[in-house]
Amino acid sequence: MVNLELYRVFYTVARCGSLTKAAEELYISQPAVSQAIKQLETQLGTPLFNRLHKGMELSKQGGELIYADVEKALRLLGGVEDKLSELKQSATGTLRIGASETIFQYILAEKIVAYHKLYPQVKIELISDVSPRIIEFLKTDRCDVGFLNLPIEPDEGIVLTDSVALLNDVFLAGEAFSSLRGRELSVWDLQEYPLLLLEPNTVARAAVDHFAESLGVRLHPAVEVGSWDFMKRLITDGMGIGCLPREYAQRRLRDGELFELNVRPAMPSRSVGLALPRNANMPFSLRAFVNLVKREH
């Protein structure tokens, strides 16, 4: 008869790469972990690990051959309880959502409120950080679902499932530059004015730099800022012309504090993507939130 606990111990050791870490995760002693691995190796008739000074490494003749199948089987079994809980049509536990502060404010706020009304028993944790950090949180099981500014470099540790919002980067100005209202401008023309751009090493900054460079222009900002809200304030106060998503400035555009410059060609749209850990178990609470976000989009 197959002893599932032996395979669960094997999978945990392989994932942790250490008997000690596996023991901590499984809440059993290290000798018990070691004994379980030896018992499974005896049962299968082959070594499953290479014991190294730095930890445990899957053997090519044993562990590597069965790891993927064991992982798949355990995940399928792990979903049984979730399927049963779905029959009750209720969501419980904790939902950890990762995104930038801006994405939370302009894209997710209403969706999170709607979800809470549907499933008030679910505790919601909001993890605010930049997209590269959210990716790391997804890969290290510190976050259940993430919302990322796209494009990003492919990463085998996550799965991008959907685009949940389009962002249209535009150049905005305040009353101090009213003479530009209605004029058609090129990216070359923008070099004559003080520019406000998001700080380097962000997806938004990379997008505007790539756009300008594709037209043979290298933009040199007068001020680099760390947040969209601060940029809008500086634009309104006449510090310069800023580049930011139209979707993040709707109120100031509507109230007439800012206006959109007619820059040609326009920048291409980009998007916000929904990301999950690869091979993640999907409890009902997480699946319900993902479905709500997709439906509203």
Side-chain angles (χ1 to χ4, degrees):
M1 181 178 292
V2 175
N3 188 331
L4 291 176
E5 285 307 311
L6 296 182
Y7 285 97
R8 196 180 307 278
V9 173
F10 161 77
Y11 173 71
T12 306
V13 172
R15 185 164 47 79
C16 294
S18 161
L19 292 174
T20 302
K21 291 180 180 178
E24 291 174 355
E25 185 168 319
L26 293 167
Y27 295 100
I28 60 177
S29 68
Q30 182 174 328
V33 173
S34 181
Q35 182 60 37
I37 294 300
K38 290 179 181 177
Q39 185 177 341
L40 185 59
E41 288 178 327
T42 299
Q43 182 176 309
L44 297 178
T46 185
L48 298 175
F49 292 95
N50 298 318
R51 277 75 169 170
L52 306 176
H53 177 70
K54 63 179 180 179
M56 302 287 281
E57 178 186 76
L58 289 172
S59 65
K60 292 188 179 299
Q61 299 81 11
E64 286 190 6
L65 295 178
I66 70 170
Y67 178 80
D69 288 338
V70 171
E71 180 183 37
K72 182 178 180 181
L74 290 176
R75 290 193 182 280
L76 287 172
L77 290 170
V80 170
E81 290 184 2
D82 295 325
K83 289 183 181 296
L84 291 175
S85 68
E86 282 188 45
L87 296 176
K88 302 176 184 178
Q89 291 299 299
S90 63
T92 58
T94 300
L95 178 62
R96 301 168 298 175
I97 307 170
S100 69
E101 184 177 340
T102 308
I103 292 175
F104 275 129
Q105 180 179 351
Y106 292 100
I107 296 173
L108 295 179
E110 292 182 1
K111 297 175 176 61
I112 291 171
V113 170
Y115 178 83
H116 178 67
K117 289 180 178 178
L118 290 170
Y119 307 107
Q121 64 272 44
V122 176
K123 179 184 177 182
I124 299 174
E125 291 183 8
L126 305 183
I127 303 168
S128 181
D129 216 316
V130 295
S131 292
R133 292 272 292 168
I134 297 300
I135 291 173
E136 289 305 310
F137 294 156
L138 289 169
K139 292 162 60 178
T140 54
D141 194 30
R142 286 179 284 173
C143 188
D144 300 310
V145 58
F147 295 85
L148 312 174
N149 283 303
L150 303 180
I152 59 170
E153 292 294 323
D155 193 306
E156 293 184 355
I158 64 169
V159 177
L160 282 170
T161 65
D162 276 283
S163 170
V164 298
L166 284 179
L167 299 178
N168 294 279
D169 293 308
V170 294
F171 291 91
L172 303 179
E175 190 59 33
F177 297 90
S178 59
S179 62
L180 299 178
R181 192 187 297 268
R183 283 179 51 187
E184 183 171 312
L185 301 168
S186 70
V187 179
W188 284 94
D189 296 328
L190 294 177
Q191 297 179 105
E192 301 176 12
Y193 303 95
L195 291 177
L196 311 178
L197 299 180
L198 207 62
E199 61 190 5
N201 302 319
T202 59
V203 172
R205 176 62 181 276
V208 67
D209 285 346
H210 178 74
F211 169 70
E213 289 169 6
S214 71
L215 299 172
V217 180
R218 187 171 182 82
L219 298 177
H220 298 282
V223 181
E224 294 175 329
V225 299
S227 76
W228 297 123
D229 285 341
F230 189 41
M231 179 184 290
K232 287 183 286 187
R233 166 113 184 238
L234 294 182
I235 300 171
T236 303
D237 290 343
M239 284 282 292
I241 294 170
C243 181
L244 69 157
R246 181 189 296 121
E247 292 74 13
Y248 294 169
Q250 292 290 1
R251 185 189 64 78
R252 293 190 186 233
L253 287 167
R254 186 172 58 249
D255 294 346
E257 297 177 32
L258 302 177
F259 65 91
E260 186 175 329
L261 298 179
N262 183 23
V263 177
R264 292 290 179 268
M267 289 185 61
S269 298
R270 52 192 180 89
S271 60
V272 173
L274 187 157
L276 297 167
R278 185 170 294 278
N279 300 322
N281 188 24
M282 289 278 285
F284 179 68
S285 56
L286 174 57
R287 195 150 51 243
F289 179 71
V290 169
N291 290 338
L292 182 148
V293 171
K294 292 180 179 180
R295 184 170 64 248
E296 292 200 0
H297 173 61

